[in-house]
Amino acid sequence: MYISETACADGLVKKTQHINRMSKNFPPSKNGSSSKLIAGTETHMIKLTALHNKKQIPTTRTSTNNTNTEATFTFKLGRTTGSDVSGDLSVNSSESSDPVESDYSEKSEDEKAQQVENTHVSANSHSISSVTTTSMNNETVDGEKDESHDADDITNTEDSDRSEQDDGNDTDDEETDNESGESSSNLTEKGGRKYHLDHFQIIKTVGTGTFGRVCLCRDKVSNKYCAMKILAMTEVIRLKQIEHVKNERNILREIRHPFTISLEWSTKDESNLYMIFDYVCGGELFTYLRNAGKFSSQTSNFYAAEIVSALDYLHSLQIIYRDLKPENLLINRDGHIKITDFGFAKKLRDRTWTLCGTPEYIAPEIIQSKGHNKAVDWWALGVLIYEMLVGYPPFYDEQPFGIYEKILSGKIEWERHMDPIAKDLIKKLLVNDRTKRLGNMKNGADDVKRHRWFKNLNWNDVYNKKLMPPILPDVHHDGDTTNFDDYSEMDWKPTIAIDQKDLKLFNDF
Ligand SMILES: Nc1ncnc2c1ncn2[C@@H]1O[C@H](COP(=O)(O)OP(=O)(O)OP(=O)(O)O)[C@@H](O)[C@H]1O
């Protein structure tokens, strides 16, 4: 794990703890840092400093005790038991042993990958095989010089805001500021139900982010488990992320798709913003991928198809997601994915200019500040498919700047035994000239859907979750947290009430 500091031209600085996202031991001389850029407004400058840059890569991300220490390389052979849902803020202890067998030594690469699939898998428990790196030959993605941008393409960066009392299904993107400055309070009505923060019992932290944390909660009214994202307003203000947080909330209110996270309710008090989601108990695709080393073509195809379905939907609403990567893909109990973290998502008019994303997944036009559109998500899909099939991303360096150079060079190293049809799709997605990038041409997402790698798919079946998931998470009950890392509950920051003037900045949240 290391800490990166991201500074943008407008003075925005984001300090983020990072667990090295690269696969273990590959590339042996290249492993190192990875960072996430935070979106700034009208920002075109990047400065990333890896403060701690380690040589080895963790296979699981461990955040226990939040000590900022290096993530462990040892694999948990036992699995943590289901959380005691009656206890508040209790940290689970590891007990029973339920390892998934994983002797991959005699198997082909695809078989190795397949062995963790089609079975109940605990994201944090099974032992893993090492990634076998086959020799590579160099090929170049055909990329052409991008066209210059037109100044009048600049997107209006302000997205819609809505009054607190609406039902969240409105797709209108006009602003409806709450002029009165009236607080949305923590008692609001949605879909006939009056919600209150007191209805939610916090059980355990399952994730931490830049401004706060995500906790498993129990809704005492419906008795359902949910995830509560808690964002400290002081941090949101300090990092100049007010509009982005509002974007996130507003976009989440607008969307409804089987493969995107569902926002149940949102509110605030004098210190924090709160978003309540359905709880996705299988954990992150990232963990499964790192544990498996790589996925088979079939498994990668399944996840890619669900993502294509979701991107197609988001783009039809003029929403670009901008943060596609395995860390943001959660696996539900049924094995289907849920895209989470809409913190960088944006409602488009044409192109937008803000620099944000995770270095390995950033499209060339973002680095070059040319303004970017939906095409960036198709680029990121190419990176994701490559990472699923190979086990590490196509553009990698210890420092973000090196990653950007590689992205712009258009050179990709291909594994010799890679599925040639998948490779063809990746090549067509990782085209530097976005006007020639699959997904961003006149037929839009249909070009991706019609690619040969997806030829056996019925897209209605994909949408209706009729495909058989390759991995079923090892989940014992709906509130099971064993597929997430453990986070210390001792480091909750004291809540700081912000003053009335600052609170008004969040009137429409
Ligand atoms: N609905 C959910 N169900 C289960 N776990 C979740 C859910 N939402 C988020 N998480 C977990 O919490 C983590 C942090 O969530 P999220 O990425 O939304 O926070 P963030 O503050 O935007 O993080 P970042 O600063 O990295 O962007 C996720 O990576 C995931 O592991």
Side-chain angles (χ1 to χ4, degrees):
M1 189 196 298
Y2 68 98
I3 298 170
S4 76
E5 204 171 88
T6 308
C8 296
D10 59 0
L12 169 67
V13 175
K14 175 192 184 185
K15 269 194 184 164
T16 312
Q17 285 175 25
H18 297 280
I19 312 246
N20 193 322
R21 64 176 310 282
M22 292 298 297
S23 172
K24 66 191 170 64
N25 299 334
F26 191 88
S29 58
K30 298 184 193 167
N31 44 20
S33 69
S34 169
S35 332
K36 179 170 178 172
L37 303 178
I38 197 161
T41 47
E42 303 295 315
T43 299
H44 304 278
M45 204 177 88
I46 317 158
K47 180 183 157 221
L48 287 155
T49 312
L51 299 179
H52 301 287
N53 188 10
K54 301 289 184 180
K55 285 287 172 198
Q56 291 295 306
I57 301 169
T59 54
T60 59
R61 302 195 302 171
T62 305
S63 307
T64 308
N65 299 329
N66 202 26
T67 51
N68 295 0
T69 52
E70 191 65 10
T72 179
F73 287 91
T74 50
F75 318 132
K76 288 195 230 167
L77 289 176
R79 64 184 305 284
T80 41
T81 55
S83 60
D84 173 7
V85 296
S86 60
D88 285 354
L89 303 178
S90 60
V91 179
N92 293 335
S93 61
S94 185
E95 289 173 15
S96 66
S97 216
D98 185 16
V100 174
E101 291 295 319
S102 56
D103 174 13
Y104 301 130
S105 51
E106 307 278 317
K107 309 252 166 104
S108 71
E109 289 307 297
D110 251 24
E111 282 174 312
K112 286 176 192 172
Q114 198 64 47
Q115 192 152 348
V116 294
E117 299 155 14
N118 297 315
T119 183
H120 281 73
V121 177
S122 171
N124 279 338
S125 67
H126 59 80
S127 55
I128 64 167
S129 66
S130 60
V131 179
T132 306
T133 55
T134 52
S135 60
M136 299 172 183
N137 48 1
N138 286 339
E139 284 185 25
T140 306
V141 167
D142 332 321
E144 295 198 5
K145 262 209 150 330
D146 211 344
E147 82 280 29
S148 60
H149 70 255
D150 304 313
D152 58 2
D153 280 337
I154 296 175
T155 306
N156 179 346
T157 58
E158 302 308 311
D159 287 329
S160 61
D161 294 318
R162 292 175 179 76
S163 71
E164 183 62 27
Q165 303 292 332
D166 73 17
D167 65 5
N169 295 326
D170 183 359
T171 56
D172 182 1
D173 79 37
E174 293 304 310
E175 295 207 0
T176 53
D177 278 353
N178 182 346
E179 302 286 350
S180 67
E182 168 202 336
S183 162
S184 57
S185 93
N186 50 22
L187 176 60
T188 58
E189 197 165 352
K190 188 198 157 198
R193 170 167 169 196
K194 276 194 172 21
Y195 282 86
H196 192 283
L197 276 175
D198 288 349
H199 296 168
F200 298 94
Q201 175 197 13
I202 293 178
I203 298 171
K204 191 178 189 299
T205 302
V206 292
T208 53
T210 319
F211 321 107
R213 55 179 69 218
V214 176
C215 299
L216 168 70
C217 289
R218 199 174 57 86
D219 178 346
K220 292 185 268 186
V221 175
S222 67
N223 241 337
K224 272 175 41 187
Y225 289 100
C226 47
M228 180 188 278
K229 186 165 175 173
I230 307 170
L231 309 172
M233 279 185 275
T234 47
E235 287 301 286
V236 175
I237 294 170
R238 189 174 68 80
L239 296 167
K240 302 190 173 123
Q241 293 300 295
I242 300 164
E243 288 311 315
H244 289 118
V245 167
K246 288 181 191 173
N247 269 356
E248 177 177 9
R249 200 281 307 256
N250 290 335
I251 285 170
L252 282 162
R253 282 178 141 192
E254 179 178 342
I255 61 177
R256 194 180 185 83
H257 189 273
F259 307 129
T260 60
I261 198 83
S262 305
L263 178 70
E264 181 75 13
W265 180 60
S266 61
T267 191
K268 65 177 179 289
D269 57 19
E270 69 285 354
S271 313
N272 297 315
L273 306 171
Y274 301 89
M275 287 187 258
I276 307 283
F277 299 96
D278 48 344
Y279 174 59
V280 187
C281 54
E284 297 171 15
L285 186 72
F286 178 91
T287 315
Y288 295 90
L289 180 56
R290 287 296 177 268
N291 285 348
K294 61 172 94 170
F295 289 154
S296 67
S297 188
Q298 205 183 346
T299 295
S300 307
N301 184 280
F302 171 87
Y303 295 121
E306 297 202 332
I307 292 155
V308 168
S309 172
L311 289 182
D312 188 14
Y313 166 77
L314 293 172
H315 292 177
S316 74
L317 298 175
Q318 303 306 315
I319 293 166
I320 41 173
Y321 174 61
R322 303 200 293 186
D323 206 10
L324 189 60
K325 56 181 177 178
E327 294 91 320
N328 286 340
L329 303 172
L330 299 178
I331 310 228
N332 220 339
R333 192 170 187 173
D334 61 9
H336 295 275
I337 61 156
K338 289 275 183 194
I339 301 179
T340 186
D341 196 356
F342 280 73
F344 286 158
K346 179 158 192 60
K347 189 106 179 168
L348 272 185
R349 296 218 164 74
D350 187 351
R351 289 182 205 163
T352 183
W353 301 84
T354 313
L355 175 62
C356 58
T358 293
E360 287 91 336
Y361 279 71
I362 282 179
E365 61 268 26
I366 304 179
I367 302 168
Q368 293 167 315
S369 302
K370 287 182 171 175
H372 47 279
N373 62 7
K374 301 166 194 172
V376 300
D377 285 337
W378 297 117
W379 174 277
L381 178 70
V383 177
L384 178 74
I385 296 172
Y386 183 103
E387 184 165 344
M388 287 194 288
L389 289 169
V390 179
Y392 50 86
F395 310 105
Y396 185 67
D397 193 85
E398 287 191 6
Q399 297 300 329
F401 193 78
I403 297 174
Y404 303 142
E405 279 182 331
K406 286 181 177 149
I407 293 169
L408 295 178
S409 81
K411 283 199 185 120
I412 301 176
E413 292 181 335
W414 298 99
E415 275 199 337
R416 190 170 288 160
H417 301 295
M418 193 168 190
D419 176 342
I421 303 175
K423 178 175 164 182
D424 181 76
L425 174 59
I426 295 167
K427 280 177 148 187
K428 287 174 172 153
L429 292 167
L430 297 182
V431 169
N432 280 42
D433 180 350
R434 64 178 164 229
T435 64
K436 298 194 168 107
R437 192 175 302 155
L438 210 64
N440 194 43
M441 293 183 289
K442 82 173 182 325
N443 297 323
D446 282 348
D447 283 338
V448 179
K449 291 177 158 179
R450 282 194 217 114
H451 188 273
R452 279 178 301 148
W453 197 47
F454 295 124
K455 95 166 182 275
N456 296 325
L457 291 185
N458 174 325
W459 286 97
N460 283 330
D461 287 351
V462 173
Y463 178 87
N464 291 313
K465 296 186 171 180
K466 292 205 174 135
L467 304 194
M468 177 85 81
I471 297 173
L472 284 178
D474 191 6
V475 171
H476 293 215
H477 62 96
D478 285 343
D480 196 336
T481 58
T482 53
N483 290 302
F484 292 91
D485 292 331
D486 286 329
Y487 294 85
S488 171
E489 306 295 354
M490 308 304 289
D491 59 354
W492 283 70
K493 297 213 174 86
T495 48
I496 305 165
I498 59 171
D499 63 33
Q500 286 305 313
K501 183 172 113 296
D502 285 344
L503 196 55
K504 280 197 170 166
L505 298 169
F506 297 95
N507 267 349
D508 43 2
F509 186 95

